[in-house]
Amino acid sequence: MSEVRKMTYADLERWWEVDPNVLATTVVADATGHVHPTVSAALRSEEWLDHWADVLYATVGELDSSAERMTYTGDPRLPRVTRQCGQVHLRMQEANTLLRQRSRAEGRDLMPKTVTDARQAALSLLAKHHREEATKLRAEEIAHRGLAPDPPTHDWGEGPADAFDAIENAVRSGLLVAPIAAQTRRLIHMRERGFIVAVGHDVKQQRERNDGLRHPLLLRRWTAALTYLRDTTAAQAGGIATWTLVQPALDMDALRALPSQQAWLVINRRRFLRGCFQRWRECSRHVQDVVRTVAVRTEDERRPWSEATHASRITLAQRHPAQYRMLRDALEPYTEPGTPKIRHGALTQNQRSELFASLRERLAAS
C-alpha cells in the first residue's frame, strides 16, 4: 500500500485494468490516507466511479466480517480494522452521493422533452389542442420523408419485473447486440442448482468476476439466485433477509457459548450474506444500465419519426403564432436564462399539471 500511495494515475491505470487487487489496494489507500491527486480524481471520474463504489462496498463487507472474527477471537488488531472500516464507510457515502447525482442527471436526460424543454412542451400542447390538424401535418411530413406510417415498436410491459422482459426482448429482436460466449452459453443451459452454485462461487470471489453472469439474458436468473442465497443464508447467520449491507450486531456471548465449529459457521455465513448484497447491488446496476441502453437505442431507432413529428409541429406553430407565443411566454419563468430548458426543480409534478391545465383552458378560450 505504501508503494501505491506514491504512484500517479498514469502509473496505476494499466494495473487497475488487469488486476482487481491493485484497484482494491488503491481504494483502501485513498480511504485511509494520502494518494496522489490524480489517483483520487480518477477514482471519482465517470470511467471509474462504478468500479470505485463496487470495491468500497466489497471492502466494507470484508472489514465488517474481519471485525466480527477479531472480536470473537480477541485479536489485538481489532481497533485498527474498526478504524479502517469507519474510514471506508465515509468514502462509501461519498461514492453514493456521486452515484445519486449521476442517476438524477441520467434520469432527467431520459425524461420526455415535453417535461424538460419549454419549446417542446409548448409544441405538444398546441398539437393536442389542434389534434386533427396536427395529425394531418404529421402524416404528410412522414410521407414526405418516405417513412412508414409508424415507427418500430417493442413491448416494454409495466412494473419493475418487466425490466428483465424488456432486456431479453431487446436481445432477441436485435435491438441490443449481446454475443453469447462459451462461458455464458454453459450458464444459460445449466440446471437451476448448478447455476445457484456458480452464483455462490462468484459471491465468494469478491475480487474476481464471472463475466458470464453479467450477460443480459442471465440478469433475471442472477437476481433470483442471489435472492435465494440471501434468504437461505440469513436465518442461519443471525442476519436479515433484506438487501442491506448492515446486519444486526452479533451477540458475542451467545456466539462463544456455541461449539467452535458452529460459531465459525455463523461468522462465515454472515460474510457470505454481505457478499450477496454486494453482488446484488452490482447486478441491479447492470439491470439499470442495460435498460437505459435499450431505452436510448429505442429512441435512436425512432428518431426519424420524432424528427418528422417535430417538423410538423413547427409548421403548426407557424400557422398559429399567437397561441404558440402565449404558451412560450407562460413557460418562460420556469426556464434557464437564455435557453428553453426548464430548470430542474422549477415545477413539481402537481404544479406542472396545474400549469398545463390552465394553459389548455387559455387555448380553448383563444
Side-chain angles (χ1 to χ4, degrees):
M1 189 176 296
S2 61
E3 289 299 315
V4 165
R5 295 189 189 280
K6 301 174 186 176
M7 299 170 76
T8 67
Y9 175 55
D11 300 324
L12 287 167
E13 181 180 12
R14 177 58 181 160
W15 287 106
W16 288 1
E17 293 172 350
V18 299
D19 191 342
N21 291 315
V22 175
L23 177 59
T25 300
T26 308
V27 169
V28 174
D30 173 72
T32 58
H34 174 76
V35 295
H36 194 274
T38 60
V39 172
S40 181
L43 289 172
R44 292 155 179 80
S45 69
E46 181 60 30
E47 181 181 0
W48 289 100
L49 177 58
D50 287 318
H51 300 288
W52 181 43
D54 285 344
V55 173
L56 285 168
Y57 270 89
T59 302
V60 163
E62 285 296 312
L63 288 172
D64 281 342
S65 296
S66 295
E68 287 180 347
R69 291 195 301 270
M70 291 176 180
T71 302
Y72 175 67
T73 61
D75 193 309
R77 295 173 295 173
L78 176 62
R80 178 175 64 82
V81 169
T82 301
R83 183 175 65 255
Q84 283 184 339
C85 192
Q87 292 168 321
V88 176
H89 262 287
L90 289 175
R91 283 290 189 265
M92 192 169 70
Q93 291 171 14
E94 181 186 352
N96 283 335
T97 298
L98 293 175
L99 288 168
R100 283 193 296 271
Q101 291 172 351
R102 186 185 69 181
S103 180
R104 284 195 294 269
E106 289 176 342
R108 187 165 174 79
D109 287 343
L110 290 175
M111 285 181 179
K113 297 301 182 186
T114 52
V115 175
T116 61
D117 188 295
R119 178 176 50 200
Q120 297 289 346
L123 290 171
S124 175
L125 285 166
L126 193 65
K128 289 175 181 176
H129 180 66
H130 298 282
R131 192 176 300 275
E132 289 186 9
E133 186 178 359
T135 300
K136 181 181 177 183
L137 286 171
R138 179 180 181 274
E140 290 173 352
E141 185 65 32
I142 286 174
H144 174 71
R145 296 180 180 221
L147 299 172
D150 296 301
T153 59
H154 301 280
D155 183 12
W156 278 81
E158 296 180 1
D162 285 336
F164 300 109
D165 291 331
I167 291 169
E168 291 161 9
N169 289 341
V171 173
R172 294 187 180 106
S173 69
L175 182 66
L176 186 67
V177 178
I180 300 177
Q183 181 186 32
T184 302
R185 195 175 301 280
R186 284 195 296 271
L187 288 166
I188 288 174
H189 294 293
M190 267 187 186
R191 293 187 176 181
E192 210 56 38
R193 184 60 193 165
F195 186 81
I196 289 171
V197 170
V199 171
H201 181 75
D202 183 68
V203 168
K204 293 175 183 178
Q205 305 299 319
Q206 284 290 308
R207 293 193 178 182
E208 297 178 10
R209 293 288 185 275
N210 183 339
D211 291 333
L213 291 172
R214 289 143 180 85
H215 191 278
L217 292 178
L218 284 171
L219 293 176
R220 184 199 300 271
R221 289 182 71 191
W222 190 20
T223 300
L226 286 168
T227 302
Y228 172 83
L229 290 170
R230 178 202 66 185
D231 292 348
T232 55
T233 304
Q236 304 165 342
I240 51 177
T242 62
W243 290 122
T244 177
L245 187 63
V246 180
Q247 293 295 325
L250 267 176
D251 183 339
M252 284 297 164
D253 290 335
L255 190 68
R256 292 189 179 102
L258 295 174
S260 176
Q261 184 177 3
Q262 189 175 348
W264 280 110
L265 189 61
V266 170
I267 290 171
N268 289 332
R269 282 174 174 164
R270 288 171 66 86
R271 180 188 181 191
F272 182 78
L273 196 57
R274 293 185 178 101
C276 283
F277 170 76
Q278 194 281 330
R279 284 296 193 252
W280 170 82
R281 180 187 165 279
E282 185 181 342
C283 179
S284 298
R285 176 167 55 79
H286 273 284
V287 171
Q288 293 168 3
D289 288 347
V290 175
V291 166
R292 189 178 297 111
T293 298
V294 172
V296 169
R297 291 186 181 175
T298 300
E299 184 178 343
D300 290 343
E301 190 178 51
R302 297 181 180 184
R303 191 176 308 282
W305 287 265
S306 299
E307 291 173 349
T309 299
H310 178 70
S312 69
R313 288 179 176 181
I314 292 293
T315 302
L316 184 69
Q318 291 169 348
R319 291 185 177 185
H320 304 277
Q323 289 180 328
Y324 178 63
R325 187 72 262 165
M326 178 273 291
L327 293 169
R328 287 297 306 273
D329 289 345
L331 293 166
E332 185 71 24
Y334 307 101
T335 61
E336 295 181 358
T339 78
K341 185 177 180 181
I342 297 175
R343 298 192 314 277
H344 182 58
L347 288 166
T348 65
Q349 186 173 351
N350 287 339
Q351 289 171 336
R352 179 179 175 276
S353 297
E354 291 172 2
L355 174 62
F356 280 33
S358 71
L359 291 176
R360 285 192 291 271
E361 290 175 0
R362 291 176 64 180
L363 282 171
S366 63

